């Protein structure tokens, strides 16, 4: 049996010591939800870090197998609860691909618009909550004020604030409300006008700079090994974005600017997120203009009462706010999927903590965790 001997003062050097094992979570204010980190400490410095997941596992992939293609949309939009609309897209795109279905142009552009508005909502949450974790309270009020503007138009069109359930196989649930595009334009303009306030409040703050610059550096090779994607990967110089490189929806007709940095630290990740917010607002404006120019027409396809997908398999992936989401759909020709495998961005993004945390002080752990931009439900599914 091992004996732990603790020395205090000058005599500590002469006594046998052992590393301290520290559990952060699964219920702890310094973690995002029910995530557990098992840290081995050498003094105040982290020697090893092991992320332990599964405390929120709901078996969503198994539940997909006993629900039809309309019902699984409801399940799929819940794993990353900040990106519900974006989560729905992979399911409907994969299903429509298996059916060989072309959806109306107005549905394509509206989906793209809503996906970018959803991206703005997700980014604003992290832009406000990350400084809060470092002790800055004010930014979250600015961020939430702008979130409420965007939430207003999302709620008007779908009836939901978090779980929109507005996608359908073949298009969207219903027609756009009268005057909705005008309200979107006004909201996007108002949010764009307020972004410099958030930027000035945080990026120039010397305490924020001291806590984030050179902290939690993630190199390109580690990113490639762990499959990290999204803003975290682009902050380390990985110039890849599905919206530009393998376009889906209407992104092939839009000038998608991919924001990258090379530092790969906490500060670079925050900068990328802030710049991506501006890009999404510009893309939303472009979608609105295109929707105004499109002639009136249907926004969905008529479907049979019982929707059966032909036998086969396909893989669809989308650029979600937190990174790449993948959907591998296998059908046996029934009204339910035989298998739907979900590749969520947060799962890969959190695994890299075992590489990034060792060598840092415990005090820097929260700064690094907050800059990894993950949702626990998206890890566990």
């Amino acid at each position: 049996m091992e004996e732990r001997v603790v020395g205090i003062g000058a005599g500590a050097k002469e006594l046998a010591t052992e590393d301290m094992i520290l559990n952060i979570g699964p219920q702890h204010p310094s973690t995002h939800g029910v995530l557990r980190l098992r840290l081995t400490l050498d003094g105040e410095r982290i020697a090893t870090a092991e992320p332990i997941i599964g405390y929120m596992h709901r078996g969503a992939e198994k539940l997909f197998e006993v629900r039809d293609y309309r019902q699984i949309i409801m399940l799929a939009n819940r794993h990353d609860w900040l990106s519900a609309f974006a989560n729905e897209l992979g399911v409907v795109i994969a299903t429509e691909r298996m059916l060989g279905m072309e959806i109306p142009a107005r549905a394509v552009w509206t989906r793209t618009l809503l996906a970018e508005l959803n991206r703005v909502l997700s980014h604003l949450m992290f832009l406000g909550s990350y400084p809060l974790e470092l002790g800055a309270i004010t930014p979250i009020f600015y961020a939430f004020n702008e979130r409420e503007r965007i939430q207003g138009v999302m709620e008007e069109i779908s009836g939901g604030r978090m779980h929109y359930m507005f996608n359908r196989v073949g298009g969207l649930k219903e027609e756009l409300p009268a005057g909705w595009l005008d309200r979107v334009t006004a909201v996007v303009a108002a949010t764009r006008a307020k972004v410099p306030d958030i930027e000035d409040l945080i990026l120039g703050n010397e305490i924020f700079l001291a806590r984030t610059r050179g902290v939690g550096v993630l190199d390109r090779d580690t990113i490639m090994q762990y499959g990290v994607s999204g803003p975290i990967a682009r902050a380390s110089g990985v110039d890849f974005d599905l919206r530009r490189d393998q376009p889906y929806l209407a992104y092939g007709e839009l000038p998608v600017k991919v924001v990258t940095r090379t530092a790969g630290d906490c500060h670079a990740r925050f900068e990328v997120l802030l710049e991506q917010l501006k890009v999404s607002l510009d893309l939303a404006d472009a979608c609105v203009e295109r929707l105004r120019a499109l002639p009136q027409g249907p926004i969905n396809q008529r479907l049979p009462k019982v929707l059966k997908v032909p036998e086969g398999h396909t893989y669809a992936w989308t650029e979600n706010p937190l990174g790449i989401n993948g959907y591998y759909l296998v059908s046996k020709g029934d009204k339910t999927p035989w298998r739907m495998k979900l590749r969520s961005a947060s799962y890969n993004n959190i695994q890299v903590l075992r590489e990034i945390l060792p060598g840092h002080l415990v005090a820097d752990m929260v700064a690094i965790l907050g800059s990894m931009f993950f949702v626990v439900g998206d890890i566990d599914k």
Side-chain angles (χ1 to χ4, degrees), residues 151-377:
Q151 286 281 26
V153 293
M154 295 293 281
E155 187 174 0
E156 180 186 357
I157 196 172
S158 68
R161 285 182 61 83
M162 288 187 70
H163 305 301
Y164 304 109
M165 274 300 295
F166 197 62
N167 273 296
R168 295 291 186 273
V169 176
L172 295 166
K173 177 185 173 186
E174 57 197 9
E175 187 54 75
L176 309 181
W180 184 77
L181 290 176
D182 295 333
R183 290 186 283 280
V184 170
T185 299
V187 161
V188 168
T191 302
R192 185 184 287 109
K194 289 293 183 179
V195 170
D197 293 343
I198 301 174
E199 191 170 3
D200 295 341
L201 193 64
I202 305 168
L203 280 186
N205 186 291
E206 57 188 48
I207 298 175
F208 183 79
L209 292 174
R211 293 293 304 276
T212 57
R213 273 195 177 158
V215 176
V217 177
L218 189 56
D219 62 81
R220 181 188 176 92
D221 289 342
T222 306
I223 282 172
M224 304 306 285
Q225 289 169 8
Y226 278 83
V228 175
S229 59
I232 301 172
R234 290 191 280 273
S236 296
V238 178
D239 187 9
F240 182 73
D241 190 313
L242 285 175
R243 294 174 297 171
R244 181 199 65 188
D245 300 321
Q246 293 198 22
Y248 57 98
L249 296 181
Y251 288 115
E253 300 179 49
L254 290 170
V256 179
K257 177 186 175 185
V258 180
V259 180
T260 60
R261 294 291 186 273
T262 56
D265 57 10
C266 294
H267 192 265
R269 291 189 280 273
F270 188 87
E271 276 190 326
V272 167
L273 208 66
L274 186 62
E275 289 301 314
Q276 282 191 178
L277 172 67
K278 300 174 186 176
V279 170
S280 289
L281 292 172
D282 292 341
L283 291 175
D285 272 342
C287 290
V288 169
E289 289 307 309
R290 185 58 182 267
L291 281 166
R292 291 186 197 279
L294 286 176
Q296 288 298 312
I299 205 159
N300 50 36
Q301 295 273 25
R302 291 181 64 88
L303 297 176
K305 273 191 172 183
V306 178
L307 179 65
K308 293 186 177 182
V309 170
E311 188 171 346
H313 61 92
T314 190
Y315 183 76
W317 56 348
T318 59
E319 186 70 44
N320 267 41
L322 298 181
I324 293 173
N325 269 20
Y327 303 79
Y328 180 55
L329 172 62
V330 182
S331 172
K332 295 288 188 180
D334 299 322
K335 66 176 183 178
T336 62
W338 184 79
R339 180 82 168 91
M340 178 172 274
K341 174 74 176 95
L342 171 62
R343 187 262 192 215
S344 60
S346 295
Y347 180 84
N348 294 69
N349 292 354
I350 204 64
Q351 298 304 320
V352 82
L353 284 174
R354 68 181 72 242
E355 303 284 347
I356 196 173
L357 284 175
H360 286 88
L361 296 171
V362 177
D364 289 329
M365 180 197 65
V366 176
I368 296 169
L369 264 180
S371 74
M372 296 308 287
F373 312 133
F374 61 86
V375 171
V376 177

Side-chain angles (χ1 to χ4, degrees), residues 48-97:
T48 64
E50 180 188 4
I52 301 172
I53 64 173
Y55 292 93
M56 199 182 279
H57 181 62
R58 292 158 294 159
E61 291 181 1
K62 199 65 184 172
L63 292 172
F64 289 158
E65 298 172 15
V66 292
R67 283 162 173 77
D68 66 33
Y69 288 93
R70 295 176 177 90
Q71 294 169 322
I72 62 174
I73 298 171
M74 178 273 294
L75 281 174
N77 75 14
R78 279 163 163 73
H79 54 90
D80 175 3
W81 46 77
L82 297 178
S83 313
F85 188 86
N87 297 343
E88 298 170 9
L89 283 174
V91 173
V92 294
I93 289 172
T95 307
E96 288 159 1
R97 189 176 295 169

